[in-house]
Amino acid sequence: REMMVQRTLLLHSLLDCNFTLLFCDTDIFFLKNPLEFVLSPTYEKYDIVFQEDAIGNRFWDSFRYLSLPYPCGGFFLARPTAK
């Protein structure tokens, strides 16, 4: 847990220094070039672009089960902003 906290603080400090971050865990492999996707004009308006962890994962939201993809912190592009 402490490692994840330190990672988050490090990434935040790099964004504060106006770096654009492309983060990738070491256990990820690619079938296609991910830069063509995350740097495409479709996504240039977003501050952050995440990989989907899985499609169809089910979780309980207090009322019903939902089948929604959720973001994975193992691969993402984050752009510095004033926000």
Side-chain angles (χ1 to χ4, degrees), residues 17-43:
C17 291
N18 210 34
F19 285 101
T20 296
L21 304 176
L22 180 63
F23 183 87
C24 181
D25 279 347
T26 58
D27 62 346
I28 293 178
F29 67 93
F30 302 101
L31 300 175
K32 295 182 180 180
N33 182 357
L35 295 179
E36 294 175 7
F37 177 77
V38 296
L39 298 178
S40 71
T42 303
Y43 295 99

Side-chain angles (χ1 to χ4, degrees), residues 7-71:
R7 180 184 91 165
T8 302
L9 293 172
L10 172 65
L11 296 175
H12 188 270
S13 67
L14 291 170
L15 287 169
D16 281 344
C17 291
N18 210 34
F19 285 101
T20 296
L21 304 176
L22 180 63
F23 183 87
C24 181
D25 279 347
T26 58
D27 62 346
I28 293 178
F29 67 93
F30 302 101
L31 300 175
K32 295 182 180 180
N33 182 357
L35 295 179
E36 294 175 7
F37 177 77
V38 296
L39 298 178
S40 71
T42 303
Y43 295 99
E44 67 186 0
K45 63 185 174 186
Y46 297 106
D47 297 337
I48 192 163
V49 179
F50 278 100
Q51 158 196 351
E52 287 181 2
D53 194 23
I55 295 176
N57 280 332
R58 298 178 65 85
F59 61 92
W60 185 253
D61 77 345
S62 300
F63 299 105
R64 64 192 181 289
Y65 277 107
L66 300 175
S67 288
L68 299 171
Y70 57 92

